[in-house]
Structures are given as C-alpha cells and as structure tokens.
Amino acid sequence: MRIDKFLANSGFGSRKEVKKLLKTGAVKINDEVVKDSQTQLTPEVDGVTVHGEIVEYKEYIYLMMNKPSGVISATEDNHETTVIDLLELDDQRFEPFPVGRLDKDTVGLLILTNDGKLAHRLLSPKKHVPKTYYAKIEGVVTEDDIERFRSGVTLEDGYITKPAELVILSSGNESEIELTITEGKFHQVKRMFIAVGKKVSFLMRIKMGPLLLDQTLKQGEYRDLTNEEIELLKSTT
Ligand code: URA
C-alpha cells in the first residue's frame, strides 16, 4: 500500500494534505524519513510514525462516494458493475460494503464502510436517520404535494409513508425539488412521486444524517471520511 493512502486511511487528511505532511519530513517508515507519497509499505509489518508518534494500523474504513449512474449498490454481481468495483484495490482490501442502496440510475452520496455496527445504526428504522434527495420531476410540483408528503402518502402496496419534508426549488413542466425522508423503502422517492401522479426523471442523494455530499467529488469519485465526519456520524446515530 502507498504511504499516502495509508495515512489518509488513518485519518491524516486528504491525499493532498498527506502529501504536504510527507514533504515536511514528519513521517518515518521503520525509522527512516519518507517524503515520496508513492513509497510502498506493508501495513501489517512496517512501523510508521508521524512526528514520532506510532500510527496504529486501522481496522475500519469509511468512504464517501458520489455514486454514478449505471452501477449497482452491491458488493458483487456477475453482470453489473458494482460500487465496490469502483474502489482502488487498497480500499477493497478492507471489504467495505455500501450503507443502504441507491438505485442503479440514482447518483450521489453513498457511504461505504466495513464498520457493521455503524452501518446497522444508520440503517435502523428505529433511528429515523434523515436522507435528503435532490430530484427533477416530470410535472408541476405543488403546495398540495408538500402537504401530502408531510402527512404521508399511500404507496401502491398500501404502505403509508412517514412524514417527509418537500421543498420546491422550481416548478414547471420539469420541477426541481428537495425531499427529506426518514425511512428507506425500496424505490421510496420514486414511489412517493408516483403516488401523487408524477415521475422522477433524475435523483441524487445529497445528505445522509449529518453528512453532506462533498460537491468536489465528481460522479464515480470517492474519498475517505475525515475523523470529524466519522465522529459526527457516530454521535448522531
Ligand atoms: N428513493 C428511490 O426511489 N431511489 C433511490 O435510489 C433512493 C431513494
């Protein structure tokens, strides 16, 4: 594994920040200063220090991906490209999995981790973790829809959705909205709009719990969560 990846995984910031840190000469592998961010090491064997402090090799990985359209939120599949296929091998080694599912054509914020406990808490129906989506809708979204989503709509299988907050960003033949829901039924956002006679033509998750999609991530890109983001996630679930 590359030293910059090792340090980024260990919470020392983004690859860019880690590169700067390496340049300062603060990082040693087996007591030798390394400045080249491409230096390879074997985490289980080599000893790394930053400013003289030993860096414990971590067990967990926490990633934020801007999921692109056309890939599925699964760990493996015989036919389709999965979000795991988009990860570097150094990250796949940790065997992360997506926290919840986005549809194949949905883009945006997806957390990937191998921390089963955190994933479980984020997904538990009891925790009501809010998820916010930006969507384009075929048809005019109205104040009436806001009210109907607030009181709960009946999906085609009879399920009545929990109160959801709909914000209209623009309304016309194609409307733009933000919708915050606190549950995660299959195709929930699309089905909620079908329930009020409209169709979602584009769907992007922009927030999960306290975590906002990093706007600098292009679709298909991902990064490690910072220590602050990990703590924030843990403290709100
Ligand atoms: N709701 C949907 O309809 N699709 C998603 O991918 C996520 C929420």
Side-chain angles (χ1 to χ4, degrees):
M1 172 181 286
R2 282 169 53 147
I3 184 67
D4 57 350
K5 185 71 206 162
F6 174 92
L7 292 170
N9 280 355
S10 306
F12 285 90
S14 67
R15 290 262 187 115
K16 231 183 189 174
E17 287 161 344
V18 160
K19 207 169 177 181
K20 270 195 204 156
L21 180 69
L22 282 157
K23 285 230 173 91
T24 67
V27 181
K28 288 183 184 172
I29 301 179
N30 301 331
D31 275 337
E32 281 195 27
V33 171
V34 281
K35 293 191 171 179
D36 180 358
S37 53
Q38 294 186 31
T39 308
Q40 292 284 338
L41 79 156
T42 308
E44 295 82 359
V45 177
D46 295 316
V48 178
T49 58
V50 174
H51 296 299
E53 299 277 329
I54 294 169
V55 180
E56 295 291 347
Y57 187 52
K58 66 171 188 130
E59 186 184 353
Y60 292 120
I61 189 170
Y62 302 90
L63 305 171
M64 170 193 294
M65 176 183 282
N66 184 353
K67 178 194 168 295
S69 180
V71 305
I72 61 167
S73 304
T75 48
E76 49 187 35
D77 193 273
N78 287 338
H79 307 288
E80 310 268 10
T81 305
T82 72
V83 287
I84 302 299
D85 294 330
L86 303 183
L87 303 180
E88 292 173 22
L89 289 180
D90 278 345
D91 294 319
Q92 289 188 12
R93 221 170 44 82
F94 287 90
E95 301 185 348
F97 52 86
V99 179
R101 279 167 188 265
L102 290 178
D103 296 339
K104 188 174 168 185
D105 61 353
T106 301
V107 303
L109 176 60
L110 189 66
I111 297 166
L112 297 123
T113 184
N114 56 356
D115 182 343
K117 265 195 199 154
L118 180 67
H120 184 74
R121 295 209 307 264
L122 285 170
L123 296 175
S124 164
K126 286 188 207 137
K127 301 279 183 186
H128 309 292
V129 172
K131 290 160 283 259
T132 303
Y133 295 85
Y134 162 88
K136 290 185 181 163
I137 310 294
E138 285 176 18
V140 183
V141 179
T142 63
E143 293 294 320
D144 185 46
D145 295 328
I146 295 180
E147 200 37 58
R148 290 179 70 184
F149 281 6
R150 189 178 290 139
S151 19
V153 287
T154 307
L155 303 183
E156 79 297 338
D157 61 359
Y159 179 77
I160 300 172
T161 56
K162 298 260 174 337
E165 195 194 333
L166 176 61
V167 175
I168 302 173
L169 304 175
S170 72
S171 191
N173 287 340
E174 185 184 67
S175 305
E176 289 177 283
I177 61 96
E178 276 180 19
L179 178 65
T180 303
I181 57 177
T182 56
E183 43 188 355
K185 302 282 170 212
F186 189 57
H187 297 326
Q188 178 153 349
V189 176
K190 292 173 186 164
R191 289 163 72 209
M192 286 176 74
F193 275 97
I194 289 172
V196 294
K198 278 146 214 159
K199 187 167 182 272
V200 171
S201 58
F202 174 79
L203 188 59
M204 171 166 65
R205 182 155 64 196
I206 55 176
K207 198 170 177 202
M208 183 160 183
L211 212 63
L212 273 171
L213 175 64
D214 181 337
Q215 299 289 337
T216 67
L217 291 174
K218 298 197 185 83
Q219 280 183 29
E221 290 184 342
Y222 69 98
R223 66 162 171 80
D224 290 276
L225 292 187
T226 62
N227 283 342
E228 291 74 40
E229 287 171 331
I230 296 167
E231 287 316 311
L232 200 60
L233 265 188
K234 287 185 175 169
S235 66
T236 49
T237 55

